[in-house]
Amino acid sequence: MKKYLSRLLVGVTALVAVTAAQAGAIDDAVKRGTLRVGMDPTYMPFQMTNKRGEIIGFEVDILKAMAKSMGVKFEPVSTAYDGIIPALLTDKFDMIGSGMTLTQERNLRLNFSEPFIVVGQTLLIRKELAGEIKSYKDLNNEKYRLTSKLGTTGEMVAKKLIAKAKYHGYDNEQEAVMDVVNGKADAFVYDAPYNVVAVEKAGAGKLLFLEEPFTYEPLAFGLKKGDYDSINFINNFLHQIKNDGTYDRIHDKWFKNKDWLKEME
């Protein structure tokens, strides 16, 4: 009987340990009362800091709707993009919501939700290169200088598909764009939605936007590996908002209406 009880106790202990291990980011957020999301708020119009110091944007509004559906508060955690995955893995926040492209390399380290939007890399080039540069292939020459944001797929693509050109990255998009505006670089490689805004806001009439995307990049929310319950919740949430009108309302606010630009001045 003692041996039986001992085995039973061991089994119960193991079951409790497994149950505890299965508790994921969404469960933790509900218990805490806040959904902590790591983001680098420099990516227009997905997440950015307005003139009042508030983090706003398309992805921010989706995450706020998600937090509301959970009955918790949304808490953005500003994090440098090139350190955002290590910060998630060391529990600085519950999930990544920072315009992150779902790549196979990242997928080896993280679980991802279904994409909430698909974008692609595009180019902002110096106006003087209008007749010379028609696509990214024309930049693949050592005489050209490229820039982008460190740690992003813009950097990855520049180094992989335009490898012959010289490259210098920056910690934020604005600095990189200004390198092209000031003639220190020939092209800025980045996601189409950002470049649509940047050519108007920061271009100063000195940039041309080559708007045809040359990569396929699904953006998704990143979580720790093994957190399937949270992925299930997030995917079902995305299905809900894409079919009840919420997603379209948020999308149109940031992509069809430019009123939010006044908040950034």
Side-chain angles (χ1 to χ4, degrees), residues 24-250:
I26 296 298
D27 287 339
D28 290 343
V30 170
K31 291 173 184 175
R32 188 190 311 113
T34 58
L35 176 64
R36 303 172 306 164
V37 181
M39 58 177 57
D40 185 0
T42 61
Y43 179 31
M44 300 183 294
F46 288 78
Q47 51 275 136
M48 53 210 168
T49 306
N50 66 15
K51 58 188 176 184
R52 293 185 297 277
E54 303 164 329
I55 297 178
I56 63 172
F58 169 64
E59 193 168 357
V60 173
D61 278 2
I62 290 177
L63 287 161
K64 283 182 176 179
M66 185 189 300
K68 184 178 180 181
S69 75
M70 296 162 57
V72 303
K73 295 180 180 179
F74 168 68
E75 181 185 336
V77 181
S78 293
T79 308
Y81 198 83
D82 58 355
I84 204 165
I85 292 178
L88 172 69
L89 299 180
T90 51
D91 298 318
K92 298 295 190 299
F93 38 78
D94 302 309
M95 59 186 285
I96 295 173
S98 195
M100 180 167 280
T101 301
L102 195 174
T103 67
Q104 281 61 60
E105 180 184 3
R106 288 170 176 158
N107 211 173
L108 291 172
R109 303 178 66 189
L110 303 177
N111 276 358
F112 280 97
S113 69
E114 293 178 6
F116 59 87
I117 196 171
V118 174
V119 300
Q121 293 299 304
T122 56
L123 297 170
L124 293 180
I125 64 170
R126 290 193 295 112
K127 199 169 185 178
E128 296 80 3
L129 296 175
E132 191 175 333
I133 304 299
K134 300 297 184 182
S135 80
Y136 76 95
K137 295 178 182 178
D138 297 326
L139 285 166
N140 197 27
N141 188 304
E142 61 184 12
K143 72 177 182 179
Y144 295 118
R145 295 162 294 171
L146 307 179
T147 187
S148 192
K149 182 177 178 178
L150 293 170
T152 66
T153 48
E155 178 184 29
M156 296 176 196
V157 165
K159 291 181 176 180
K160 183 177 180 180
L161 298 183
I162 323 174
K164 291 181 181 179
K166 298 180 181 69
Y167 178 84
H168 180 75
Y170 286 91
D171 288 331
N172 65 69
E173 295 92 343
Q174 184 68 18
E175 284 185 275
V177 170
M178 292 310 297
D179 240 22
V180 185
V181 171
N182 295 328
K184 295 180 180 179
D186 297 303
F188 172 69
V189 186
Y190 215 61
D191 296 355
Y194 182 90
N195 281 348
V196 169
V197 179
V199 70
E200 181 178 325
K201 181 175 171 57
K206 297 183 178 181
L207 300 178
L208 288 178
F209 177 35
L210 301 190
E211 61 187 40
E212 185 66 32
F214 56 93
T215 61
Y216 170 82
E217 302 199 18
L219 306 189
F221 301 117
L223 295 101
K224 288 183 180 179
K225 292 201 74 170
D227 192 357
Y228 302 113
D229 285 346
S230 295
I231 292 294
N232 175 260
F233 176 87
I234 294 170
N235 287 344
N236 286 331
F237 165 77
L238 291 174
H239 292 164
Q240 179 67 36
I241 65 170
K242 285 181 177 180
N243 287 282
D244 69 7
T246 301
Y247 181 91
D248 289 341
R249 174 178 54 79
I250 295 173

Side-chain angles (χ1 to χ4, degrees), residues 1-34:
M1 179 60 73
K2 288 182 179 179
K3 288 182 180 179
Y4 172 76
L5 290 174
S6 177
R7 289 172 185 164
L8 182 62
L9 182 60
V10 169
V12 170
T13 302
L15 179 61
V16 170
V18 169
T19 302
Q22 288 177 343
I26 296 298
D27 287 339
D28 290 343
V30 170
K31 291 173 184 175
R32 188 190 311 113
T34 58

